[in-house]
Amino acid sequence: MKKISLISLILLVIIGAWYWCVFDEYKFAKIADNVYVMHGPLEGPNPENRGFMNNPGLIVGKSGVVIVDPGGTYGTGKRILAAMEEITKKPVVAVFNTHVHGDHWLGNQAIVQRYPNVRIYAHKNMIAQAKSGEGKRWVKLMNDLTKGASAGTIATYPTNSAKHLQTIKAGGEYFKIHHDINGVAHTNTDIMLEHIGSKTIFLGDNAFVNRQGRFDESSNMHGNIATLQYAQNLDLDNYVPGHGPSGNAKIAVLPFLNYLRIIQNEVKKGYSQDLADYEIKPTAHKKLSAYHRWHGYEAAVGKHIGKMLREIEALDE
Ligand SMILES: [Zn+2]
């Protein structure tokens, strides 16, 4: 009996240490004076990361804290609050959700539980879509992909809609909202958030680095190109992609922008020669050698070529 208890105790310590290591891996990194980003893992939601995969942001103002995209589960939201408290004890006064994909906003639940009066800002389309089914669909999707590790997550919706070029003051800091140019890019629910004081912009999933993303039917690759060009032209100091490392425009905007431009050029050429998407792929693949090592490249590139071809066909009609 005693032996079994001892073994159980040792096992518990090992599991506890492992759990702590996984937790501890995700701390906020300082990217500007009072701006922090917790760069999430590049892979999709799974039992190991328990649904945490995005880049939550933290801006510490004089009178309160602003959080951008507090993660994809209730548990992630709680981890973000715990990591935040190692930096500041100030209250969270506002949250911004960049778009409707649940890996960016299901963590709202933990923030609202601790700070019931917090304002949560998002695009009006994001709020409408989240409430009319996308929220519940993402809760189920997270639960399936993490094999139950996201249990307890409940869709907690934004409270305020945010408009293009609207300035919002929160925690003593000033923010400016930027919508997608042409209205649609990664989705039709995106906002980008500029923190004016530090010349930082949170791009949402309009930008990826070292990882590929999905273009679903609500997206527009031409819109994504225009939006990234717009973001680059803002000439800011710090760019935070939805996934992958932050940096200046060269590090965090240009890689995905150039990827999209190569896809666009190759598909345009292929379309003019009446080629199908699978016939365009081999030449495009060669031109995209800088991206072969990006997480998810193999699974995404064919779909991206197909989507770009449908967009170019539609533009030609
Ligand atoms: Zn997304």
Side-chain angles (χ1 to χ4, degrees), residues 205-226:
D205 282 357
N206 288 313
F208 296 92
V209 182
N210 297 340
R211 172 188 198 276
Q212 279 303 345
R214 249 162 32 88
F215 281 97
D216 64 22
E217 283 314 305
S218 81
S219 69
N220 188 284
M221 297 175 88
H222 287 78
N224 205 146
I225 290 171

Side-chain angles (χ1 to χ4, degrees), residues 63-218:
S63 55
V65 180
V66 171
I67 295 181
V68 186
D69 282 354
T73 67
Y74 174 50
T76 305
K78 288 203 288 189
R79 285 167 66 183
I80 287 165
L81 284 177
M84 177 192 86
E85 280 163 2
E86 289 179 21
I87 296 166
T88 177
K89 302 287 184 221
K90 290 176 187 174
V92 179
V93 291
V95 171
F96 290 87
N97 293 155
T98 58
H99 64 294
V100 76
H101 293 156
D103 55 315
H104 293 259
W105 65 273
L106 290 173
N108 285 353
Q109 183 187 355
I111 318 296
V112 171
Q113 187 182 56
R114 182 85 64 86
Y115 301 100
N117 297 322
V118 69
R119 281 170 175 247
I120 306 181
Y121 295 91
H123 190 295
K124 65 178 190 326
N125 293 353
M126 182 284 179
I127 303 175
Q129 290 180 26
K131 287 183 175 173
S132 63
E134 274 301 281
K136 289 200 172 111
R137 190 180 75 78
W138 269 96
V139 169
K140 187 181 179 309
L141 185 65
M142 276 295 176
N143 192 60
D144 293 347
L145 294 172
T146 63
K147 299 204 186 327
S150 68
T153 302
I154 297 165
T156 306
Y157 305 110
T159 53
N160 292 64
S161 66
K163 285 194 190 107
H164 185 49
L165 300 184
Q166 183 182 350
T167 304
I168 294 168
K169 191 182 178 193
E173 301 290 307
Y174 289 90
F175 298 88
K176 196 191 259 183
I177 303 291
H178 300 272
H179 274 190
D180 294 333
I181 306 315
N182 307 330
V184 189
H186 175 63
T187 66
N188 56 5
T189 68
D190 310 312
I191 55 167
M192 299 186 291
L193 182 72
E194 178 186 346
H195 174 237
I196 294 171
S198 67
K199 295 187 116 197
T200 300
I201 189 164
F202 293 85
L203 302 157
D205 282 357
N206 288 313
F208 296 92
V209 182
N210 297 340
R211 172 188 198 276
Q212 279 303 345
R214 249 162 32 88
F215 281 97
D216 64 22
E217 283 314 305
S218 81

